[in-house]
Amino acid sequence: RRLPESPSACTPQPAAAQIKTIDDVTNYRRRSSLLLSGTVIEQDMIVKGDLNLADRVAIHGDVRCQGRAVIGKDSVILGDVFAEGPIEIMHNAVVFGNLFSQDSVQLYPGVRIGQVGRIKSIIAKKRIIVDRNVAIFGYVLTEGKGLVL
């Protein structure tokens, strides 16, 4: 794989006039991650931004994300998923651990959380949306709105 010629090729650099608040500084320093289809990670992941997993990605550990976490179709995570932003688990993905979001959780058709004989939890501060044909082996809790489609 080729490395970019300069660090600015990785992350767009904002002009000084764009940084006006502490949120602008936080977003400037945020590093988002995109894992391509078929990627296998054999350890825990910590992402200081948004995490986007393409279809059929496997992570053999926990995921901690300071932004949004989108888990692609048919992906597998063997550990827990913790996110400061929303979590979206796409069609037929499997998470064997707990889900925790300071924002919301949305589960699409065919998603499976946990496994038989091991109680896991889904906790979201603002909202949880569960689509049809979803299996959750454990508890679901939100301070906000819960919706089953």
PDB file of all heavy atoms in Angstrom, residues 7 10-14 25-34 46-51 65-67:
ATOM      1  N   PRO A   7       1.222  14.683   5.022  1.00  0.00           N
ATOM      2  CA  PRO A   7       0.175  14.425   6.019  1.00  0.00           C
ATOM      3  C   PRO A   7      -1.153  15.086   5.665  1.00  0.00           C
ATOM      4  O   PRO A   7      -2.200  14.584   5.997  1.00  0.00           O
ATOM      5  CB  PRO A   7       0.745  15.025   7.310  1.00  0.00           C
ATOM      6  CG  PRO A   7       2.207  15.133   7.088  1.00  0.00           C
ATOM      7  CD  PRO A   7       2.407  15.281   5.607  1.00  0.00           C
ATOM      8  N   CYS A  10      -4.011  13.075   3.995  1.00  0.00           N
ATOM      9  CA  CYS A  10      -4.872  12.191   4.782  1.00  0.00           C
ATOM     10  C   CYS A  10      -6.099  12.917   5.313  1.00  0.00           C
ATOM     11  O   CYS A  10      -7.191  12.395   5.267  1.00  0.00           O
ATOM     12  CB  CYS A  10      -4.111  11.616   5.977  1.00  0.00           C
ATOM     13  SG  CYS A  10      -2.778  10.549   5.523  1.00  0.00           S
ATOM     14  N   THR A  11      -5.896  14.092   5.854  1.00  0.00           N
ATOM     15  CA  THR A  11      -6.967  14.828   6.504  1.00  0.00           C
ATOM     16  C   THR A  11      -7.023  16.227   5.936  1.00  0.00           C
ATOM     17  O   THR A  11      -6.012  16.922   5.921  1.00  0.00           O
ATOM     18  CB  THR A  11      -6.701  14.915   8.025  1.00  0.00           C
ATOM     19  OG1 THR A  11      -6.525  13.608   8.524  1.00  0.00           O
ATOM     20  CG2 THR A  11      -7.842  15.603   8.740  1.00  0.00           C
ATOM     21  N   PRO A  12      -8.199  16.653   5.448  1.00  0.00           N
ATOM     22  CA  PRO A  12      -8.277  18.023   4.951  1.00  0.00           C
ATOM     23  C   PRO A  12      -7.964  19.016   6.064  1.00  0.00           C
ATOM     24  O   PRO A  12      -8.457  18.874   7.175  1.00  0.00           O
ATOM     25  CB  PRO A  12      -9.715  18.161   4.477  1.00  0.00           C
ATOM     26  CG  PRO A  12     -10.411  16.906   4.805  1.00  0.00           C
ATOM     27  CD  PRO A  12      -9.431  15.944   5.380  1.00  0.00           C
ATOM     28  N   GLN A  13      -7.134  19.987   5.784  1.00  0.00           N
ATOM     29  CA  GLN A  13      -6.739  20.974   6.771  1.00  0.00           C
ATOM     30  C   GLN A  13      -7.647  22.198   6.648  1.00  0.00           C
ATOM     31  O   GLN A  13      -7.706  22.817   5.592  1.00  0.00           O
ATOM     32  CB  GLN A  13      -5.281  21.402   6.544  1.00  0.00           C
ATOM     33  CG  GLN A  13      -4.309  20.231   6.559  1.00  0.00           C
ATOM     34  CD  GLN A  13      -4.210  19.584   7.907  1.00  0.00           C
ATOM     35  OE1 GLN A  13      -4.214  20.261   8.913  1.00  0.00           O
ATOM     36  NE2 GLN A  13      -4.111  18.270   7.932  1.00  0.00           N
ATOM     37  N   PRO A  14      -8.369  22.571   7.708  1.00  0.00           N
ATOM     38  CA  PRO A  14      -9.246  23.736   7.616  1.00  0.00           C
ATOM     39  C   PRO A  14      -8.431  25.028   7.614  1.00  0.00           C
ATOM     40  O   PRO A  14      -7.353  25.082   8.184  1.00  0.00           O
ATOM     41  CB  PRO A  14     -10.103  23.632   8.869  1.00  0.00           C
ATOM     42  CG  PRO A  14      -9.264  22.872   9.828  1.00  0.00           C
ATOM     43  CD  PRO A  14      -8.431  21.923   8.997  1.00  0.00           C
ATOM     44  N   VAL A  25     -12.270  22.837  16.796  1.00  0.00           N
ATOM     45  CA  VAL A  25     -10.967  22.251  17.115  1.00  0.00           C
ATOM     46  C   VAL A  25     -11.104  20.747  17.283  1.00  0.00           C
ATOM     47  O   VAL A  25     -10.300  19.968  16.774  1.00  0.00           O
ATOM     48  CB  VAL A  25     -10.362  22.889  18.389  1.00  0.00           C
ATOM     49  CG1 VAL A  25      -9.090  22.175  18.794  1.00  0.00           C
ATOM     50  CG2 VAL A  25     -10.100  24.369  18.156  1.00  0.00           C
ATOM     51  N   THR A  26     -12.153  20.309  17.981  1.00  0.00           N
ATOM     52  CA  THR A  26     -12.379  18.876  18.185  1.00  0.00           C
ATOM     53  C   THR A  26     -12.549  18.159  16.851  1.00  0.00           C
ATOM     54  O   THR A  26     -11.944  17.120  16.613  1.00  0.00           O
ATOM     55  CB  THR A  26     -13.626  18.652  19.072  1.00  0.00           C
ATOM     56  OG1 THR A  26     -13.426  19.326  20.292  1.00  0.00           O
ATOM     57  CG2 THR A  26     -13.853  17.180  19.322  1.00  0.00           C
ATOM     58  N   ASN A  27     -13.378  18.713  15.960  1.00  0.00           N
ATOM     59  CA  ASN A  27     -13.587  18.094  14.658  1.00  0.00           C
ATOM     60  C   ASN A  27     -12.324  18.100  13.815  1.00  0.00           C
ATOM     61  O   ASN A  27     -12.065  17.175  13.059  1.00  0.00           O
ATOM     62  CB  ASN A  27     -14.728  18.797  13.908  1.00  0.00           C
ATOM     63  CG  ASN A  27     -16.061  18.523  14.555  1.00  0.00           C
ATOM     64  OD1 ASN A  27     -16.249  17.504  15.202  1.00  0.00           O
ATOM     65  ND2 ASN A  27     -16.990  19.446  14.393  1.00  0.00           N
ATOM     66  N   TYR A  28     -11.500  19.138  13.939  1.00  0.00           N
ATOM     67  CA  TYR A  28     -10.243  19.219  13.207  1.00  0.00           C
ATOM     68  C   TYR A  28      -9.293  18.103  13.630  1.00  0.00           C
ATOM     69  O   TYR A  28      -8.619  17.500  12.822  1.00  0.00           O
ATOM     70  CB  TYR A  28      -9.607  20.589  13.444  1.00  0.00           C
ATOM     71  CG  TYR A  28      -8.221  20.722  12.896  1.00  0.00           C
ATOM     72  CD1 TYR A  28      -7.992  20.709  11.530  1.00  0.00           C
ATOM     73  CD2 TYR A  28      -7.138  20.868  13.758  1.00  0.00           C
ATOM     74  CE1 TYR A  28      -6.718  20.840  11.022  1.00  0.00           C
ATOM     75  CE2 TYR A  28      -5.864  21.005  13.254  1.00  0.00           C
ATOM     76  CZ  TYR A  28      -5.651  20.983  11.890  1.00  0.00           C
ATOM     77  OH  TYR A  28      -4.392  21.109  11.400  1.00  0.00           O
ATOM     78  N   ARG A  29      -9.274  17.814  14.915  1.00  0.00           N
ATOM     79  CA  ARG A  29      -8.360  16.788  15.430  1.00  0.00           C
ATOM     80  C   ARG A  29      -8.918  15.371  15.307  1.00  0.00           C
ATOM     81  O   ARG A  29      -8.222  14.405  15.546  1.00  0.00           O
ATOM     82  CB  ARG A  29      -8.029  17.069  16.891  1.00  0.00           C
ATOM     83  CG  ARG A  29      -7.277  18.358  17.076  1.00  0.00           C
ATOM     84  CD  ARG A  29      -6.916  18.558  18.527  1.00  0.00           C
ATOM     85  NE  ARG A  29      -6.206  19.792  18.725  1.00  0.00           N
ATOM     86  CZ  ARG A  29      -4.910  19.950  18.517  1.00  0.00           C
ATOM     87  NH1 ARG A  29      -4.188  18.950  18.102  1.00  0.00           N
ATOM     88  NH2 ARG A  29      -4.343  21.112  18.723  1.00  0.00           N
ATOM     89  N   ARG A  30     -10.179  15.256  14.937  1.00  0.00           N
ATOM     90  CA  ARG A  30     -10.835  13.954  14.846  1.00  0.00           C
ATOM     91  C   ARG A  30     -10.261  13.164  13.683  1.00  0.00           C
ATOM     92  O   ARG A  30     -10.083  13.675  12.598  1.00  0.00           O
ATOM     93  CB  ARG A  30     -12.334  14.152  14.666  1.00  0.00           C
ATOM     94  CG  ARG A  30     -13.098  12.862  14.554  1.00  0.00           C
ATOM     95  CD  ARG A  30     -14.561  13.138  14.509  1.00  0.00           C
ATOM     96  NE  ARG A  30     -14.997  13.380  15.869  1.00  0.00           N
ATOM     97  CZ  ARG A  30     -16.226  13.684  16.198  1.00  0.00           C
ATOM     98  NH1 ARG A  30     -17.148  13.803  15.301  1.00  0.00           N
ATOM     99  NH2 ARG A  30     -16.547  13.873  17.453  1.00  0.00           N
ATOM    100  N   ARG A  31     -10.002  11.903  13.911  1.00  0.00           N
ATOM    101  CA  ARG A  31      -9.494  11.010  12.879  1.00  0.00           C
ATOM    102  C   ARG A  31     -10.509   9.901  12.675  1.00  0.00           C
ATOM    103  O   ARG A  31     -10.715   9.071  13.549  1.00  0.00           O
ATOM    104  CB  ARG A  31      -8.150  10.405  13.278  1.00  0.00           C
ATOM    105  CG  ARG A  31      -7.059  11.419  13.540  1.00  0.00           C
ATOM    106  CD  ARG A  31      -6.642  12.090  12.244  1.00  0.00           C
ATOM    107  NE  ARG A  31      -5.477  12.934  12.455  1.00  0.00           N
ATOM    108  CZ  ARG A  31      -5.517  14.249  12.507  1.00  0.00           C
ATOM    109  NH1 ARG A  31      -6.664  14.873  12.395  1.00  0.00           N
ATOM    110  NH2 ARG A  31      -4.429  14.952  12.684  1.00  0.00           N
ATOM    111  N   SER A  32     -11.144   9.885  11.540  1.00  0.00           N
ATOM    112  CA  SER A  32     -12.140   8.863  11.244  1.00  0.00           C
ATOM    113  C   SER A  32     -11.482   7.684  10.558  1.00  0.00           C
ATOM    114  O   SER A  32     -10.422   7.812   9.950  1.00  0.00           O
ATOM    115  CB  SER A  32     -13.241   9.445  10.366  1.00  0.00           C
ATOM    116  OG  SER A  32     -13.916  10.460  11.071  1.00  0.00           O
ATOM    117  N   SER A  33     -12.129   6.520  10.648  1.00  0.00           N
ATOM    118  CA  SER A  33     -11.571   5.304  10.061  1.00  0.00           C
ATOM    119  C   SER A  33     -12.591   4.623   9.177  1.00  0.00           C
ATOM    120  O   SER A  33     -13.765   4.527   9.529  1.00  0.00           O
ATOM    121  CB  SER A  33     -11.145   4.325  11.161  1.00  0.00           C
ATOM    122  OG  SER A  33     -10.102   4.875  11.920  1.00  0.00           O
ATOM    123  N   LEU A  34     -12.123   4.121   8.039  1.00  0.00           N
ATOM    124  CA  LEU A  34     -12.931   3.331   7.123  1.00  0.00           C
ATOM    125  C   LEU A  34     -12.207   2.020   6.905  1.00  0.00           C
ATOM    126  O   LEU A  34     -11.043   2.008   6.501  1.00  0.00           O
ATOM    127  CB  LEU A  34     -13.109   4.055   5.785  1.00  0.00           C
ATOM    128  CG  LEU A  34     -13.703   3.225   4.647  1.00  0.00           C
ATOM    129  CD1 LEU A  34     -15.134   2.827   4.974  1.00  0.00           C
ATOM    130  CD2 LEU A  34     -13.653   4.002   3.339  1.00  0.00           C
ATOM    131  N   ILE A  46      -9.622   1.452  18.866  1.00  0.00           N
ATOM    132  CA  ILE A  46     -10.008   2.730  19.448  1.00  0.00           C
ATOM    133  C   ILE A  46      -9.923   3.750  18.322  1.00  0.00           C
ATOM    134  O   ILE A  46      -8.875   3.913  17.702  1.00  0.00           O
ATOM    135  CB  ILE A  46      -9.090   3.130  20.612  1.00  0.00           C
ATOM    136  CG1 ILE A  46      -9.187   2.080  21.720  1.00  0.00           C
ATOM    137  CG2 ILE A  46      -9.457   4.512  21.129  1.00  0.00           C
ATOM    138  CD1 ILE A  46      -8.228   2.287  22.859  1.00  0.00           C
ATOM    139  N   VAL A  47     -11.047   4.423  18.061  1.00  0.00           N
ATOM    140  CA  VAL A  47     -11.126   5.377  16.955  1.00  0.00           C
ATOM    141  C   VAL A  47     -11.468   6.748  17.524  1.00  0.00           C
ATOM    142  O   VAL A  47     -12.458   6.888  18.242  1.00  0.00           O
ATOM    143  CB  VAL A  47     -12.199   4.941  15.925  1.00  0.00           C
ATOM    144  CG1 VAL A  47     -12.298   5.950  14.799  1.00  0.00           C
ATOM    145  CG2 VAL A  47     -11.891   3.561  15.394  1.00  0.00           C
ATOM    146  N   LYS A  48     -10.654   7.753  17.208  1.00  0.00           N
ATOM    147  CA  LYS A  48     -10.881   9.108  17.711  1.00  0.00           C
ATOM    148  C   LYS A  48     -11.763   9.913  16.770  1.00  0.00           C
ATOM    149  O   LYS A  48     -11.585  11.098  16.623  1.00  0.00           O
ATOM    150  CB  LYS A  48      -9.549   9.810  17.901  1.00  0.00           C
ATOM    151  CG  LYS A  48      -8.727   9.253  19.010  1.00  0.00           C
ATOM    152  CD  LYS A  48      -7.501  10.088  19.232  1.00  0.00           C
ATOM    153  CE  LYS A  48      -6.749   9.596  20.444  1.00  0.00           C
ATOM    154  NZ  LYS A  48      -5.622  10.459  20.748  1.00  0.00           N
ATOM    155  N   GLY A  49     -12.689   9.280  16.147  1.00  0.00           N
ATOM    156  CA  GLY A  49     -13.609   9.939  15.221  1.00  0.00           C
ATOM    157  C   GLY A  49     -14.711   8.968  14.869  1.00  0.00           C
ATOM    158  O   GLY A  49     -15.110   8.146  15.687  1.00  0.00           O
ATOM    159  N   ASP A  50     -15.175   9.038  13.626  1.00  0.00           N
ATOM    160  CA  ASP A  50     -16.214   8.129  13.156  1.00  0.00           C
ATOM    161  C   ASP A  50     -15.593   6.832  12.654  1.00  0.00           C
ATOM    162  O   ASP A  50     -14.485   6.828  12.125  1.00  0.00           O
ATOM    163  CB  ASP A  50     -17.001   8.772  12.014  1.00  0.00           C
ATOM    164  CG  ASP A  50     -17.733  10.031  12.449  1.00  0.00           C
ATOM    165  OD1 ASP A  50     -18.014  10.170  13.653  1.00  0.00           O
ATOM    166  OD2 ASP A  50     -18.027  10.865  11.582  1.00  0.00           O
ATOM    167  N   LEU A  51     -16.338   5.747  12.813  1.00  0.00           N
ATOM    168  CA  LEU A  51     -15.895   4.446  12.309  1.00  0.00           C
ATOM    169  C   LEU A  51     -16.917   3.951  11.302  1.00  0.00           C
ATOM    170  O   LEU A  51     -18.110   3.871  11.611  1.00  0.00           O
ATOM    171  CB  LEU A  51     -15.778   3.434  13.447  1.00  0.00           C
ATOM    172  CG  LEU A  51     -15.473   1.993  13.023  1.00  0.00           C
ATOM    173  CD1 LEU A  51     -14.090   1.902  12.378  1.00  0.00           C
ATOM    174  CD2 LEU A  51     -15.571   1.057  14.212  1.00  0.00           C
ATOM    175  N   CYS A  65     -15.322   4.156  20.073  1.00  0.00           N
ATOM    176  CA  CYS A  65     -15.393   5.160  19.023  1.00  0.00           C
ATOM    177  C   CYS A  65     -15.869   6.481  19.607  1.00  0.00           C
ATOM    178  O   CYS A  65     -16.881   6.513  20.299  1.00  0.00           O
ATOM    179  CB  CYS A  65     -16.353   4.640  17.954  1.00  0.00           C
ATOM    180  SG  CYS A  65     -16.649   5.728  16.608  1.00  0.00           S
ATOM    181  N   GLN A  66     -15.154   7.574  19.317  1.00  0.00           N
ATOM    182  CA  GLN A  66     -15.548   8.877  19.848  1.00  0.00           C
ATOM    183  C   GLN A  66     -16.584   9.572  18.971  1.00  0.00           C
ATOM    184  O   GLN A  66     -17.073  10.628  19.324  1.00  0.00           O
ATOM    185  CB  GLN A  66     -14.323   9.764  20.020  1.00  0.00           C
ATOM    186  CG  GLN A  66     -13.435   9.292  21.129  1.00  0.00           C
ATOM    187  CD  GLN A  66     -12.230  10.184  21.330  1.00  0.00           C
ATOM    188  OE1 GLN A  66     -11.983  11.102  20.559  1.00  0.00           O
ATOM    189  NE2 GLN A  66     -11.469   9.907  22.366  1.00  0.00           N
ATOM    190  N   GLY A  67     -16.924   8.981  17.847  1.00  0.00           N
ATOM    191  CA  GLY A  67     -17.932   9.545  16.967  1.00  0.00           C
ATOM    192  C   GLY A  67     -19.012   8.520  16.666  1.00  0.00           C
ATOM    193  O   GLY A  67     -19.385   7.711  17.509  1.00  0.00           O
TER     194      GLY A  67
END
